[in-house]
Amino acid sequence: EKMVERLSKFGVGSEVMDADDVAKKWPVLDTTPFPEFTTDGDLIEKEYGEFSAVHEHGCGHMDSNLCLSDMKKVLDREGVPVHMGTPVASFDVSTDGSKVQGVVLGDSTQVSATTVVNCAGPWFNKLNARNDIKTTTEMLPTRIHVGHKHIEGDYLDLPFVADGYGGSGIYFMPRRQNSQLVFGSVAHRFESEVVDPDDYNHSLDPDIKEDYLTCLFHRLPDLPTHGQIHGFAHMYTVNQDDVHPVVGPSDVEGLFLAYGESGHGFKLAPAIGSMLAQQITGLKTDQWETSAPLDFLHPNRDALKVKVKTHFA
């Protein structure tokens, strides 16, 4: 009920569902808790309580590639140049290091600017380290895994499911346009491998795939087992102290930081963009703006107090 009340404040309709409600709406879903075992394989006797879920109405999935394509069209329309095929090699700063003057690209092109935003995700520190830019919370590039499987029929009608009933941590969502079920995990055991963003294994690990499938087939016991499981590994930039991003000015004048979203960057992007725009321009429009305090995610803040430190917090 508390989650329903909270969502309603943001204009999102939702309802609390018990096991019978879920079984009627999505018969392919199993509502028993995922069992937990010791390292020796013994079942852990545990009371999980009665099944309860919150179903959000009218929520769906936005294709990130299409959104980026739309953004590129807007930038082209407004005459904003986009440099493709070359990374940002470094910040161009004043001789004393106190003020940013632009960036230097990997092909040695210099781009002058009085304001620069480091939103390089897992590569953030490769830029910061060259100018000794630090924050009060620690962010690390963390390897995460995603799998996908062909589905048909009732499985295409499933909602986005995040499984917190038992020790599973699996999440999955159907993509009707290509008949795929995309799945991953919100469990901490899958978000602890720190990597070099320029040198890591991009493939889905076999042991993690097996673990994912065990959790997935528990929640979807009649899901066909035939067909290939495809997948990949990529990265989240995870804030180790409070799993929230840093958004705001650095100690170098004109250089702003925006990273550490811990897996929520795409969905937080509108609010982060609003926050940055307000900080940089000192202006606020009358619509589509975040009302969050502009220093709430300041790079030099004290770590926020959170109950759970996972990328699903």
Side-chain angles (χ1 to χ4, degrees):
E1 285 78 12
K2 289 183 179 180
M3 180 58 74
V4 170
E5 181 180 346
R6 180 184 179 190
L7 289 169
S8 68
K9 294 178 180 178
F10 296 94
V12 178
S14 61
E15 63 179 313
V16 176
M17 304 181 75
D18 60 21
D20 289 338
D21 296 329
V22 170
K24 291 175 183 176
K25 194 170 185 66
W26 302 288
V28 297
L29 280 172
D30 184 288
T31 56
T32 60
F34 185 84
E36 297 180 54
F37 299 89
T38 67
T39 54
D40 295 325
D42 298 323
L43 178 67
I44 298 175
E45 297 293 342
K46 192 172 182 179
E47 177 56 50
Y48 293 99
E50 188 175 349
F51 176 90
S52 179
V54 174
H55 178 220
E56 299 178 16
H57 302 157
C59 297
H61 173 261
M62 295 179 68
D63 187 288
S64 55
N65 289 324
L66 292 178
C67 288
L68 288 173
S69 177
D70 288 345
M71 181 62 71
K72 174 65 164 55
K73 291 176 182 177
V74 171
L75 294 172
D76 291 342
R77 184 192 69 196
E78 299 299 319
V80 178
V82 178
H83 297 267
M84 305 291 285
T86 180
V88 175
S90 62
F91 301 125
D92 182 14
V93 298
S94 58
T95 304
D96 63 2
S98 65
K99 187 175 182 179
V100 74
Q101 300 175 153
V103 297
V104 179
L105 303 183
D107 61 5
S108 299
T109 299
Q110 288 188 299
V111 180
S112 298
T114 55
T115 301
V116 173
V117 179
N118 182 353
C119 53
W123 290 268
F124 76 94
N125 202 42
K126 297 207 171 206
L127 293 171
N128 285 354
R130 294 186 177 97
N131 298 95
D132 197 31
I133 296 165
K134 298 178 181 178
T135 61
T136 51
T137 55
E138 182 183 27
M139 268 68 59
L140 295 173
T142 305
R143 186 167 174 248
I144 56 95
H145 300 260
V146 175
H148 50 97
K149 182 187 188 310
H150 177 79
I151 53 172
E152 298 175 347
D154 291 341
Y155 296 100
L156 292 170
D157 296 323
L158 286 168
F160 185 117
V161 175
D163 188 356
Y165 195 39
S168 166
I170 197 76
Y171 73 79
F172 50 89
M173 57 181 170
R175 290 185 175 174
R176 181 175 287 275
Q177 65 269 31
N178 58 3
S179 299
Q180 295 287 317
L181 186 71
V182 178
F183 54 92
S185 179
V186 298
H188 178 69
R189 65 184 185 276
F190 298 116
E191 54 176 272
S192 56
E193 182 186 356
V194 177
V195 296
D196 179 340
D198 291 317
D199 183 21
Y200 72 97
N201 184 356
H202 293 245
S203 300
L204 175 63
D205 288 354
D207 57 334
I208 290 181
K209 179 173 73 171
E210 182 179 355
D211 200 335
Y212 276 8
L213 291 177
T214 299
C215 299
L216 184 65
F217 283 112
H218 173 84
R219 198 55 66 209
L220 299 171
D222 295 323
L223 184 68
T225 57
H226 61 268
Q228 288 189 326
I229 303 296
H230 301 278
F232 61 90
H234 211 275
M235 295 170 289
Y236 288 154
T237 311
V238 179
N239 189 320
Q240 305 297 302
D241 297 304
D242 63 15
V243 292
H244 282 66
V246 295
V247 182
S250 71
D251 293 332
V252 176
E253 183 182 345
L255 177 60
F256 289 76
L257 310 180
Y259 51 78
E261 288 87 350
S262 306
H264 294 279
F266 185 71
K267 64 180 76 69
L268 290 177
I272 290 176
S274 169
M275 188 174 283
L276 280 171
Q278 291 180 58
Q279 292 170 341
I280 292 169
T281 67
L283 304 174
K284 186 174 182 178
T285 66
D286 58 2
Q287 60 181 344
W288 307 117
E289 296 280 20
T290 181
S291 58
L294 296 185
D295 61 352
F296 179 60
L297 300 174
H298 195 284
N300 292 327
R301 69 176 184 268
D302 291 335
L304 303 174
K305 291 180 172 59
V306 292
K307 292 182 178 180
V308 182
K309 291 183 181 179
T310 76
H311 67 253
F312 198 58

